[in-house]
Amino acid sequence: MPNPSEQSSCLVLENFIGGKFVPCRTHIDSYDPSVGEVYCRVPDSGAQEVEAAVAAAKEAFPGWSARSPEQRAQVLNKLADLLDANVEEFAQAESRDQGKTVTFARTVDIPRSAYNFRFFASSLLHHTNDCSQSDHMGCLHYTIRCPVGVAGLISPWNLPLYLLTWKIAPAIAAGNTVVAKPSEMTSVTAWMMCKLMQQAGVPPGVVNIVFGTGPKAGDALVGHPDVPLVSFTGSTATAQCITERSAPYCKKLSLELGGKNPAIIFADADLDRCIETTVRSSFSNQGEICLCTSRIYVEGSIYSEFLERFVAAAKKWKTGAPSDPGNDNGALISKEHLEKVRSFVALAKSEGGTVHCGEGVDQLHLPERNAKGYFMPATVISGISDSSRVMQEEIFGPVTCVSPFDSEEEAVSKGNGVRYGLAATVWSQDVGKVHRMARKIQAGMVWTNCWLVRDLNLPFGGMKNSGVGREGGKDSYHFFTEVKTVTVKH
Ligand code: NAD
């Protein structure tokens, strides 16, 4: 397998349609964010390429959906094994393409991508359907579930292979065929995985990957009449376009969107654990995880102590060359994104906020080779009003804001005071309080005294502007199948 991280000449990707690599006539430049240079050219696909991919997926559907779940599971397990066997090449490539550290890609992105296949290979074998009796009418009712057909899958740039496989795995495990479009900014590992698809014996047309931009390739996929279902992970603004585009066809949609996630820290929290975890939840993957904490509300009596200790811990969070195992963070995805994230820090300052560490306060010491990369240190801000754009909008970078609260009611109202509702963390040793908070906080996921501990069997997704629908074991199975109720009278 080619290792993109070692290639000096420009890497040129091809679409994967009907089990074959198909060159595209036009391309988009893709940057290595840690050096700020183009290193890869991604197909700039449009309606024609999407049409070919959908046709291949339609052709493959009858054969693939007729296989037994066990036969499909074997292929998924083989893919998982192949990803595990190539973890280093994939981790290097993900890091180069996305800017994240190699360590993060090696320990999070790629192992989780392999696990997505392994999990859904197994999970699919364990679902049961419903049955009920109406003896007085001589009837038995039961449900059956059928794959939907060609699934359209669209994924973002922050966890490229991780989130793409989170969609491909349940879709094909349930018997669908897919046309996937990864982010145009991070397409390399998806392209590398196509080779593994061939090796794993994924039949031609079961997984098709079309590379390109959202408004061109993504729009053609969402608007294709033969794609009855779209699973999308990305921004709330794009989800609104997708919803409108698919409305005339009444498509089934799963939308996993942005967040502005609060951490609510009560005075009785175990502060050592809380600070260590909240630094991680604020800054992991450069703060480019939809679940990252970006608003930290701290009970007044411990506010000063928390702020001092939290800033000291954030200052130890190291940012630099992604290949250096001593670094916690690498580069942000793009120059434009770095500028956007910085503009929020500037806005916070202009509104009288205090920047305790990071942007404009601490100097990064980067190797010469990374001087033009898109780096930004972990930044902690306080003194911002809850109505500020800094506290309301998703920044999606290594920036977090700290603010005090006085009562449980105030914590709930501050936590819920944004249009998003993806995830929250609550810190307290009072079991009654954490249960109460979990019920009152408007978020699809509430972690108490921890963060990002996942059981893939349970639902993942957001409320309010953070999404529609849930994914995970049973929820993904339900989304990627159509249920029918059958009544038999005897
Ligand atoms: P984005 O919405 O810009 O792009 C996501 C994907 O949609 C890309 O593949 C893009 O090419 C495509 N796209 C863009 N416009 C399109 C259109 N008109 N039609 C069809 N496809 C289109 O998001 P992004 O900047 O890549 O990712 C960051 C966002 O994703 C953040 O808001 C983050 O919170 C969110 N996110 C959410 C989750 C979750 O599970 N809830 C996970 C990761 C990221």
Side-chain angles (χ1 to χ4, degrees):
M1 177 176 328
N3 182 349
S5 62
E6 285 168 6
Q7 292 178 358
S8 51
S9 60
C10 204
L11 188 65
V12 182
L13 310 190
E14 295 175 326
N15 288 322
F16 187 67
I17 299 174
K20 294 199 184 81
F21 288 92
V22 183
C24 193
R25 277 163 302 159
T26 50
H27 294 86
I28 311 155
D29 287 339
S30 182
Y31 287 75
D32 173 342
S34 72
V35 295
E37 282 171 12
V38 173
Y39 86 109
C40 171
R41 309 198 70 219
V42 174
D44 185 12
S45 310
Q48 199 183 327
E49 290 77 8
V50 168
E51 185 60 50
V54 172
K58 271 177 79 176
E59 199 183 325
F61 179 70
W64 182 248
S65 56
R67 289 195 184 192
S68 72
E70 291 79 5
Q71 286 170 328
R72 292 197 296 264
Q74 271 176 5
V75 176
L76 269 79
N77 278 322
K78 181 85 182 130
L79 259 173
D81 291 344
L82 286 166
L83 276 171
D84 279 342
N86 292 284
V87 68
E88 194 54 33
E89 286 89 337
F90 274 80
Q92 297 281 346
E94 200 72 299
S95 163
R96 183 164 190 198
D97 209 27
Q98 206 274 344
K100 66 180 68 208
T101 63
V102 175
T103 309
F104 195 86
R106 186 190 288 129
T107 54
V108 179
D109 293 73
I110 310 307
R112 171 60 190 273
S113 303
Y115 187 63
N116 284 338
F117 285 112
R118 199 163 278 124
F119 172 81
F120 283 108
S122 156
S123 149
L124 198 91
L125 305 177
H126 303 288
H127 298 298
T128 54
N129 290 325
D130 297 326
C131 180
S132 84
Q133 307 161 225
S134 297
D135 291 343
H136 60 293
M137 290 189 285
C139 284
L140 183 69
H141 316 272
Y142 64 93
T143 58
I144 55 169
R145 289 201 163 261
C146 308
V148 181
V150 179
L153 312 177
I154 300 179
S155 54
W157 49 256
N158 63 323
L159 296 164
L161 197 66
Y162 175 135
L163 290 172
L164 183 68
T165 52
W166 174 240
K167 297 181 185 304
I168 293 178
I172 65 172
N176 303 281
T177 55
V178 310
V179 177
K181 193 208 81 64
S183 168
E184 62 276 25
M185 285 189 268
T186 53
S187 294
V188 170
T189 49
W191 171 77
M192 288 166 66
M193 186 176 65
C194 296
K195 294 178 176 60
L196 303 190
M197 297 267 168
Q198 292 175 324
Q199 289 170 30
V202 177
V206 170
V207 177
N208 305 276
I209 303 201
V210 175
F211 298 99
T213 66
K216 216 169 138 187
D219 182 76
L221 181 56
V222 175
H224 199 294
D226 293 336
V227 177
L229 161 157
V230 175
S231 171
F232 168 79
T233 299
S235 65
T236 302
T238 303
Q240 285 159 352
C241 297
I242 289 178
T243 305
E244 283 175 22
R245 182 78 167 103
S246 58
Y249 306 95
C250 298
K251 295 193 181 202
K252 208 173 174 189
L253 293 182
S254 169
L255 305 171
E256 299 289 350
L257 314 178
K260 187 72 183 173
N261 310 306
I264 296 175
I265 299 166
F266 287 97
D268 66 345
D270 173 344
L271 267 198
D272 289 343
R273 255 173 70 199
C274 169
I275 287 169
E276 186 272 324
T277 306
T278 308
V279 166
R280 235 173 1 95
S281 72
S282 297
F283 304 122
S284 283
N285 203 45
Q286 303 73 240
E288 296 168 329
I289 303 180
C290 54
L291 306 166
C292 274
T293 302
S294 54
R295 297 177 294 143
I296 304 174
Y297 295 112
V298 187
E299 193 158 7
S301 59
I302 58 159
Y303 180 73
S304 303
E305 182 196 351
F306 176 88
L307 188 58
E308 190 182 320
R309 289 179 58 185
F310 183 73
V311 169
K315 275 176 172 286
K316 291 190 187 138
W317 190 264
K318 289 208 181 110
T319 299
S323 56
D324 182 341
N327 288 329
D328 302 294
N329 271 3
L332 272 67
I333 183 70
S334 68
K335 192 161 178 276
E336 294 71 26
H337 189 57
L338 175 64
E339 277 162 13
K340 180 193 134 183
V341 177
R342 280 181 173 158
S343 77
F344 277 101
V345 181
L347 177 62
K349 275 196 209 156
S350 76
E351 291 179 353
T354 306
V355 181
H356 296 270
C357 62
E359 183 63 23
V361 178
D362 298 302
Q363 203 65 36
L364 285 176
H365 301 286
L366 297 166
E368 207 182 312
R369 148 165 222 282
N370 301 107
K372 293 201 175 117
Y374 316 132
F375 294 90
M376 177 171 171
T379 301
V380 179
I381 301 174
S382 72
I384 295 291
S385 116
D386 284 326
S387 61
S388 164
R389 281 180 48 230
V390 180
M391 291 295 261
Q392 290 290 323
E393 292 181 19
E394 185 182 44
I395 300 175
F396 217 51
V399 178
T400 196
C401 297
V402 190
S403 174
F405 70 85
D406 288 322
S407 66
E408 215 174 295
E409 293 68 38
E410 192 189 0
V412 171
S413 126
K414 282 175 180 275
N416 291 344
V418 295
R419 69 184 175 118
Y420 294 104
L422 188 58
T425 62
V426 177
W427 292 85
S428 167
Q429 310 216 40
D430 176 342
V431 74
K433 196 184 278 181
V434 297
H435 280 302
R436 273 196 309 277
M437 291 298 289
R439 287 189 67 81
K440 288 181 189 163
I441 286 288
Q442 296 167 341
M445 279 122 347
V446 181
W447 279 290
T448 69
N449 301 319
C450 63
W451 176 68
L452 202 41
V453 182
R454 286 274 293 127
D455 173 350
L456 302 194
N457 288 294
L458 296 188
F460 177 96
M463 53 201 282
K464 294 157 82 176
N465 280 203
S466 290
V468 177
R470 297 290 185 273
E471 295 182 348
K474 199 174 10 158
D475 295 85
S476 294
Y477 176 60
H478 286 180
F479 177 69
F480 285 110
T481 54
E482 205 61 83
V483 68
K484 287 182 200 167
T485 301
V486 181
T487 301
V488 179
K489 191 167 166 64
H490 52 84

